[in-house]
Amino acid sequence: MLVLTVLATGCASAPKTQADRLREMLEVLAESHQRDSAFLVRLNPVPCGCPEWEVHLEGRWHRAFLEPSGDPVEAIRKELQDPDGRALPRTIRVLGKLSTGVRMSDNRTQCLVLKVFGPCQDEECEPVP
């Protein structure tokens, strides 16, 4: 009987951690925006080892990795920096696709991943709330 009890409790799943809940929340958020093609982003560098980019979804800013690492992300970066390379308090609308998965930053923060195709031109993008 003792052996059965040990085996039965060994199969029980561990309670979800805060990190698990956060990852699931970000995955649900990303999934709910899979049909979106335009996103509002801003450059907001911080010294914590997390991505310097943020994407605006459902009224909140979320840390995000922007891909690919070269163009068009570098062109967008230049638009959002002053001549000395400091981030300006500006946003820009971009065409892109949000990944359904999340990525861990250097400081172990779970972040969204946005594949950027380029900045929106004129009426190319629908309004972003």
Side-chain angles (χ1 to χ4, degrees), residues 23 27 37 42 49 58 60 77 85-86 90 103:
R23 185 190 74 253
E27 288 171 347
S37 60
R42 71 180 178 186
E58 299 181 4
R60 294 187 59 208
R77 176 190 312 280
R86 291 184 298 260
R90 293 180 45 203
R103 184 182 302 160

Side-chain angles (χ1 to χ4, degrees), residues 37-101:
S37 60
F39 298 88
L40 188 64
V41 298
R42 71 180 178 186
L43 182 60
N44 187 16
V46 290
C48 68
C50 57
E52 60 188 351
W53 295 99
E54 294 178 319
V55 61
H56 195 258
L57 298 170
E58 299 181 4
R60 294 187 59 208
W61 289 100
H62 300 272
R63 289 283 166 186
F65 290 96
L66 267 54
E67 297 180 339
S69 59
D71 282 337
V73 174
E74 287 307 311
I76 293 167
R77 176 190 312 280
K78 287 179 183 172
E79 282 193 47
L80 297 177
Q81 289 179 326
D82 69 14
D84 294 325
R86 291 184 298 260
L88 296 169
R90 293 180 45 203
T91 61
I92 189 169
R93 289 189 314 149
V94 299
L95 293 170
K97 177 135 179 81
L98 204 54
S99 171
T100 55

